[in-house]
Amino acid sequence: MNVRRLIPTTAAAGAVVLGLTALSACSTSDAADGGNGDKLKVTASFYPMQFLAEKIGGEHVAVTSLTKPGVEPHDLELTPRQIGSISESDYVLYLKGIQPAVDDAIKQSGVKNTVDAATLTTLENHGSEVSGHDHDHGHEGEEEHGHEGEEAHEEHSEGDGHNHGEEGGADPHVWLDPVKYAEVAKGVGKSLEKADPDHAADYKKNTDALVAELGELNTAYETGLKNPSTRTFITTHSAFGYLAERYGLTQQGIAGIDPEAEPSPARIQEIHTIAEKEKATTVFFETLASDKTAKTLAKDTGLKTGVLDPLEGITEKSQGADYIEVMESNLAALQKALGAK
């Protein structure tokens, strides 16, 4: 049974209203022009792509997300209507490797302006343990189209295996690192300028504003996680590899990068040992998934549980109304768990 499907319809309905607030604001301001008629029709695959499209596109775009609020994006199955809507789009923004059904539909859609966010930054391999101790965590990486000088990952360039479910595949969760997400934002901005040159100046202005906001978020994380009591956190979904690497932390995933994978008894025993050795205090679970594994492990080890949101969707259960707010909540949760001052 897939626990991710057991989300109350009321929660989903409330989230739909929340998720569409930005769109309705745009639509009402354009009422005199007959609604969305003159806007660029943008299809986004799931929330992190929707957020970029709305923030950068502003009043010039009408954004539709293929993943409804409250649906775990990895589970997404497209309806014939959704597949048809992709073909009718002016611009499609997705992240290859997260949603195979979306990847296939986009490939067959024939849409000219199709952007894979994975090609706008550099992907890396992350297993269930990701450490960032040896990295330089300054800002200089923002302008470089890669990592902080770590050659070991260079073979994982934009185009190779983004298979989300395989241990050997590149990790697609780039949006959880504000610096990498800013790189993606810059690429999205440039592609929107090309797709709709009449509004290029606005797209550039909106991109610059978002990149500045993400820069502030990065600074908040750098400052907030500078002196933790422990650098290790435990999570049910190994989505936080880029975040751990950026800020010198170690993620210990109960399962792997695939959120559906059940942890082995050997891995659970290993987590017990790591928690004691590294003085980890908290087992994190996510808002769109069951907390059963986290609670069982926490009970067995005497650890606390907490929420660390991989931001794959916004619902009324989310600890914030948008990407920035939820990332700020994640920072507060990490500071508490890691004993950061």
Side-chain angles (χ1 to χ4, degrees):
M1 182 179 71
N2 192 333
V3 293
R4 294 168 182 271
R5 300 198 189 283
L6 304 181
I7 294 169
T9 51
T10 50
V16 169
V17 175
L18 180 66
L20 295 180
T21 305
L23 290 186
S24 58
C26 296
S27 304
T28 49
S29 66
D30 247 32
D33 299 337
N36 295 335
D38 298 331
K39 297 189 179 195
L40 199 71
K41 287 184 192 166
V42 175
T43 296
S45 56
F46 72 130
Y47 179 71
M49 302 298 103
Q50 176 190 347
F51 179 77
L52 290 180
E54 288 175 356
K55 291 287 276 188
I56 296 169
E59 64 183 8
H60 304 303
V61 299
V63 184
T64 304
S65 178
L66 294 172
T67 310
K68 296 286 181 285
V71 173
E72 211 290 330
H74 308 277
D75 292 340
L76 185 68
E77 293 170 12
L78 296 175
T79 65
R81 178 178 285 185
Q82 284 179 306
I83 292 169
S85 76
I86 295 172
S87 303
E88 291 164 12
S89 304
D90 299 315
Y91 179 99
V92 177
L93 179 60
Y94 73 116
L95 181 58
K96 190 176 179 185
I98 287 275
Q99 300 164 291
V102 173
D103 296 350
D104 292 343
I106 288 170
K107 196 187 294 181
Q108 294 166 24
S109 71
V111 176
K112 178 184 161 193
N113 295 305
T114 299
V115 178
D116 171 12
T119 65
L120 303 176
T121 185
T122 319
L123 270 63
E124 301 177 12
N125 266 30
H126 293 140
S128 52
E129 176 182 353
V130 179
S131 175
H133 291 277
D134 301 326
H135 284 261
D136 176 1
H137 306 293
H139 292 276
E140 54 270 29
E142 289 188 44
E143 293 303 318
E144 294 173 8
H145 205 61
H147 318 293
E148 298 74 40
E150 185 165 348
E151 293 174 7
H153 294 300
E154 283 183 4
E155 70 271 21
H156 305 296
S157 63
E158 290 106 41
D160 70 349
H162 306 165
N163 191 328
H164 194 266
E166 292 180 5
E167 281 300 309
D171 178 0
H173 297 87
V174 288
W175 66 92
L176 290 164
D177 173 354
V179 177
K180 283 193 172 292
Y181 199 43
E183 286 178 5
V184 175
K186 288 175 190 174
V188 170
K190 282 176 185 161
S191 65
L192 278 171
E193 287 175 44
K194 284 182 187 168
D196 182 17
D198 288 352
H199 301 114
D202 284 349
Y203 296 140
K204 184 170 190 329
K205 187 178 81 173
N206 293 344
T207 302
D208 290 347
L210 178 57
V211 168
E213 211 174 347
L214 292 170
E216 288 172 13
L217 184 65
N218 175 48
T219 301
Y221 266 79
E222 284 182 336
T223 308
L225 298 172
K226 197 169 275 183
N227 299 306
S229 303
T230 176
R231 293 188 173 273
T232 299
F233 63 98
I234 300 165
T235 176
T236 53
H237 179 187
S238 300
F240 300 92
Y242 292 106
L243 186 150
E245 192 170 26
R246 177 69 57 194
Y247 304 110
L249 307 176
T250 300
Q251 166 187 254
Q252 289 288 351
I254 298 172
I257 285 177
D258 183 353
E260 299 295 338
E262 285 290 327
S264 67
R267 179 60 181 159
I268 288 175
Q269 185 53 50
E270 197 179 0
I271 293 285
H272 277 242
T273 308
I274 289 163
E276 284 182 16
K277 185 183 168 195
E278 301 296 335
K279 299 185 171 53
T281 66
T282 308
V283 181
F284 286 114
F285 60 94
E286 57 181 284
T287 43
L288 294 184
S290 168
D291 59 0
K292 186 179 170 188
T293 305
K295 284 188 170 167
T296 302
L297 183 63
K299 188 179 176 186
D300 290 349
T301 54
L303 299 173
K304 294 177 229 165
T305 56
V307 172
L308 203 58
D309 194 330
L311 264 156
E312 293 179 344
I314 295 280
T315 74
E316 63 182 17
K317 292 181 182 176
S318 300
Q319 304 291 308
D322 66 8
Y323 172 87
I324 300 290
E325 288 186 8
V326 175
M327 282 294 282
E328 288 169 348
S329 296
N330 281 347
L331 173 57
L334 280 168
Q335 284 179 295
K336 186 178 176 185
L338 301 174
K341 299 293 182 284

